Amino acid sequence: MRTSRFFLSTLKEAPSDAEIISHQLMLRAGMIKRLAGGIYTWMPIGLRVMRKVEKIVREEMDRSGAIELSMPAVQPAELWQESGRWDKYGPELLRCKDRHQRDFVIGPTHEEVITDVVRKEVKSYRQLPLHFYQVQVKFRDEIRPRFGIMRGREFLMKDGYSFHSSFADLQREYRNMFDTYTRIFTRLGLKFRAVAADTGSIGGTGSHEFHVLAESGEDALAYCPDSGFAANVELAEALAPSEPRAAASAALERVATPGRTRCEDVAALLALPLTRTVKAIAIVLTSATGASGQFALILLRGDHNLNEIKAQKTVGDFRFARDDEIQTALGCQPGYIGPLGVGALPVFADRSVAVMSDFVCGANEAGFHLVGVNFGRDLAEPAIIADLRNVIAGDPSPDGEGRLELCRGIEVGHIFQLRTKYAEALKCSFLDEGGHSRIMEMGCYGIGVTRIVGAAIEQGHDERGIVFPAAIAPFEVCIVPMGYAKSDAVKAAADALYAELTGAGIDVLLDDRNERPGVMFAEMELIGVPHRVVVGDRGLAQGKLEYKGRLDAESQMLPVAEVGQFLKGRLCAG
């Protein structure tokens, strides 16, 4: 491609509302243009990157044995009502009516549609297994779209769905998809990690997320460098302390702590480690199981944070109590509440709290805390002890192989063992070998194609712009001639190299504009082209061209005849 026949629209500065680096750089590089909140036009330079991601995804999905189809973006409400998600999905589901006032949705995902296809087409176990996938635009009406394409409302996604006659066969395909996704992200040239994850609103029994590692990532990941363990912090188990509870050695004492409502402040006032404090979190149960509306307490060690997903699995559905509800139940303002003297209120204690002795907690009296508190002596043993917290760096790995470390990641892929959740709801069944009707097992496998582009930029950038892996860069090589329109020698050498590289199947951008060298260099670095060759009269006089990799500190001079082979070697190695 020649820049004279292409469209580049770069900016020197990013708009002030661009919050994260990928959003800033995509706007500056002219990859996207905002149309509305969370909705973007993909400009030619951005579309080239997205199409390269899409190509790798398709090639590996086809290699895996999955079959591509294309489902409608507009879906009838009846399917969502049949699955039960019409009411459960929430306001992210964009609903609309046609001219006959029939309800439809703009698809955020396609479990219902594909299950409807399969229940109508597949009757016998002989037709299974099946795995269909598509690469299609989705729409989710985010309440606050932000971060550019990272949390947009419209996005491109690869979603796949498999159907099986047995759970064992679903597990086989799940492993196949795990390996397929690993190949995809490896080919994309990204540093990534696959982690065990919560199934969330999709449902099912098994789940792995694929994260591009980046300090700006929204998700915290826990992994053990001494083993293969990795999980989203939401799911990583915090093991119970191996040491038993020490015997009580301190007397119970009420101490004044005016204005100290945080464990950190109380510990500092009392000159005690934060690990000696216990924080009580007031909640109200909201489950429709008869306990709805009941006030309860969750106890955590002062240096730990509540894991709401774990807590919900133990406690049931809940919400955090309001200040007035805390005042009514405990006669105290927030910041000073504790588990002593709460009568029959349910108390849920984290495993770490259950082995504590001589600890500090709120006295249920404004301006006071209790010191030297012990279970069994001063208050009853917790009725329920469970893993309720987020793991922290240094915790034992759940697989027993070492200690956990934490990093941050951007979720770009997710695979689920749906089991029979949607198949049962939509009556998707088959006849087994004995002629008996059975519900199909299902798997679901998603990749955020547009999100990968943003994640790649979050992972790869510097002060000059984007640093793309060669596999998804808009162009693999840029040729920057000095005075293309003024020097016949420069034009001839640049055209010859361009012809050689394009003939070898390399994606090349020849910058044949009449621009200053500084402008051309800056734009090529901004858009993330990984290899640059400068053609100039001075170098040609010596029979050489100047090469510089996007991350190289210095350029190097190469013989004209060797540049093509050199680049082919670099691209193959990358």
Side-chain angles (χ1 to χ4, degrees):
M1 181 66 66
R2 295 171 182 266
T3 51
S4 59
R5 299 174 64 89
F6 195 61
F7 184 82
L8 284 177
S9 177
T10 60
L11 301 172
K12 289 185 178 181
E13 301 292 337
S16 59
D17 61 345
E19 301 173 74
I20 61 172
I21 195 67
S22 61
H23 192 193
Q24 295 167 6
L25 288 176
M26 291 185 78
L27 289 171
R28 284 193 57 211
M31 295 179 67
I32 56 174
K33 301 291 182 182
R34 183 182 183 275
L35 177 64
I39 303 174
Y40 292 87
T41 297
W42 282 78
M43 300 300 287
I45 196 77
L47 187 62
R48 289 182 68 88
V49 178
M50 186 165 67
R51 289 289 183 250
K52 289 186 177 184
V53 174
E54 192 178 337
K55 180 175 182 290
I56 290 173
V57 169
R58 272 200 169 91
E59 287 174 355
E60 291 299 334
M61 289 301 297
D62 292 343
R63 175 183 170 186
S64 76
I67 307 164
E68 186 173 6
L69 48 58
S70 180
M71 291 177 274
V74 179
Q75 307 174 21
E78 287 86 349
L79 283 177
W80 286 74
Q81 291 162 352
E82 192 176 352
S83 72
R85 290 207 294 178
W86 176 257
D87 297 316
K88 291 181 181 178
Y89 203 93
E92 285 188 4
L93 186 63
L94 184 62
R95 304 154 204 258
C96 57
K97 293 180 182 290
D98 67 5
R99 68 177 66 197
H100 303 291
Q101 297 303 301
R102 293 175 297 207
D103 288 314
F104 287 84
V105 304
I106 308 299
T109 183
H110 278 70
E111 284 84 3
E112 284 82 0
V113 176
I114 193 63
T115 304
D116 181 61
V117 170
V118 171
R119 71 178 173 180
K120 293 174 179 175
E121 297 294 327
V122 176
K123 303 301 179 185
S124 168
Y125 72 93
R126 294 187 180 91
Q127 296 170 274
L128 298 173
L130 281 172
H131 185 158
F132 295 112
Y133 82 94
Q134 64 176 350
V135 182
Q136 192 207 53
V137 171
K138 301 284 194 291
F139 192 94
R140 295 177 187 171
D141 198 4
E142 292 274 356
I143 186 171
R144 190 165 73 91
R146 56 199 175 114
F147 304 154
I149 62 164
M150 299 295 284
R151 192 169 290 281
R153 293 194 291 169
E154 183 180 275
F155 54 94
L156 188 68
M157 179 180 179
K158 188 285 297 180
D159 50 322
Y161 310 90
S162 64
F163 296 82
H164 309 268
S165 60
S166 68
F167 180 47
D169 194 59
L170 167 58
Q171 290 177 307
R172 173 201 57 75
E173 185 63 7
Y174 187 85
R175 184 71 233 182
N176 180 30
M177 281 299 102
F178 187 98
D179 295 340
T180 297
Y181 276 37
T182 299
R183 289 195 304 270
I184 287 171
F185 293 112
T186 299
R187 284 187 60 189
L188 290 171
L190 300 171
K191 296 176 183 176
F192 70 96
R193 189 176 290 277
V195 301
D198 187 77
T199 55
S201 62
I202 296 291
T205 59
S207 169
H208 279 84
E209 294 171 349
F210 288 76
H211 288 260
V212 169
L213 303 183
E215 286 303 314
S216 59
E218 292 183 292
D219 294 298
L221 313 177
Y223 69 97
C224 177
D226 302 319
S227 71
F229 176 82
N232 195 301
V233 165
E234 295 173 344
L235 194 67
E237 181 184 8
L239 298 179
S242 57
E243 302 82 10
R245 182 195 297 163
S249 62
L252 180 65
E253 183 182 358
R254 174 175 166 272
V255 296
T257 55
R260 271 69 168 190
T261 59
R262 298 167 63 246
C263 286
E264 292 84 352
D265 299 330
V266 174
L269 176 69
L270 302 178
L272 292 172
L274 186 58
T275 54
R276 287 275 302 280
T277 65
V278 168
K279 55 187 170 187
I281 301 171
I283 62 170
V284 176
L285 304 180
T286 58
S287 301
T289 57
S292 181
Q294 186 172 17
F295 191 91
L297 294 179
I298 294 176
L299 304 183
L300 294 179
R301 206 171 74 185
D303 61 325
H304 290 157
N305 291 319
L306 179 67
N307 184 310
E308 293 184 40
I309 290 177
K310 292 180 182 179
Q312 191 173 54
K313 291 177 180 178
T314 299
V315 173
D317 292 336
F318 70 92
R319 61 173 174 82
F320 296 108
R322 301 189 306 269
D323 290 1
D324 63 304
E325 292 172 323
I326 294 173
Q327 186 70 45
T328 299
L330 301 176
C332 178
Q333 68 187 63
Y336 299 99
I337 65 176
L340 271 74
V342 298
L345 288 182
V347 176
F348 305 90
D350 181 68
R351 292 168 172 174
S352 297
V353 172
V355 299
M356 293 176 67
S357 59
D358 297 336
F359 58 85
V360 179
C361 66
N364 289 322
E365 181 181 355
F368 290 90
H369 279 75
L370 299 175
V371 176
V373 183
N374 285 273
F375 290 112
R377 187 192 72 181
D378 306 314
L379 74 166
E381 297 286 348
I384 297 178
I385 299 169
D387 174 20
L388 301 172
R389 68 175 177 92
N390 287 332
V391 295
I392 59 175
D395 279 343
S397 177
D399 62 5
E401 296 297 323
R403 297 279 171 178
L404 292 178
E405 294 184 12
L406 302 182
C407 64
R408 302 204 69 81
I410 301 167
E411 183 190 343
V412 290
H414 206 157
I415 60 177
F416 301 86
Q417 295 176 16
L418 292 177
R419 300 295 310 268
T420 59
K421 177 180 178 179
Y422 295 94
E424 284 183 348
L426 277 76
K427 299 179 177 59
C428 184
S429 62
F430 68 99
L431 295 179
D432 64 15
E433 295 180 55
H436 302 105
S437 179
R438 291 173 50 199
I439 297 294
M440 295 182 199
E441 296 273 355
M442 283 181 63
C444 172
Y445 320 95
I447 286 180
V449 175
T450 48
R451 208 160 201 258
I452 285 172
V453 179
I457 297 171
E458 290 292 329
Q459 185 178 91
H461 64 271
D462 60 18
E463 69 282 358
R464 299 189 303 276
I466 301 168
V467 181
F468 273 125
I472 59 173
F475 299 94
E476 296 170 289
V477 178
C478 61
I479 301 172
V480 183
M482 302 291 97
Y484 183 82
K486 299 177 182 178
S487 170
D488 291 339
V490 167
K491 184 178 186 301
D495 287 346
L497 180 60
Y498 178 71
E500 179 186 356
L501 296 178
T502 54
I506 295 173
D507 199 2
V508 188
L509 179 63
L510 172 57
D511 198 344
D512 58 352
R513 296 175 296 171
N514 185 26
E515 278 286 3
R516 301 189 312 275
V519 172
M520 293 190 286
F521 291 164
E523 288 196 334
M524 294 305 107
E525 290 181 324
L526 174 61
I527 67 176
V529 182
H531 303 281
R532 185 183 78 198
V533 178
V534 178
V535 183
D537 281 319
R538 186 178 301 175
L540 288 174
Q542 302 171 11
K544 293 183 177 182
L545 304 180
E546 180 187 310
Y547 165 80
K548 190 174 186 292
R550 178 63 178 78
L551 291 176
D552 292 349
E554 301 291 339
S555 60
Q556 56 184 302
M557 301 303 294
L558 300 172
V560 174
E562 297 178 11
V563 171
Q565 198 59 41
F566 174 85
L567 286 169
K568 294 170 193 175
R570 278 291 181 100
L571 289 167
C572 290

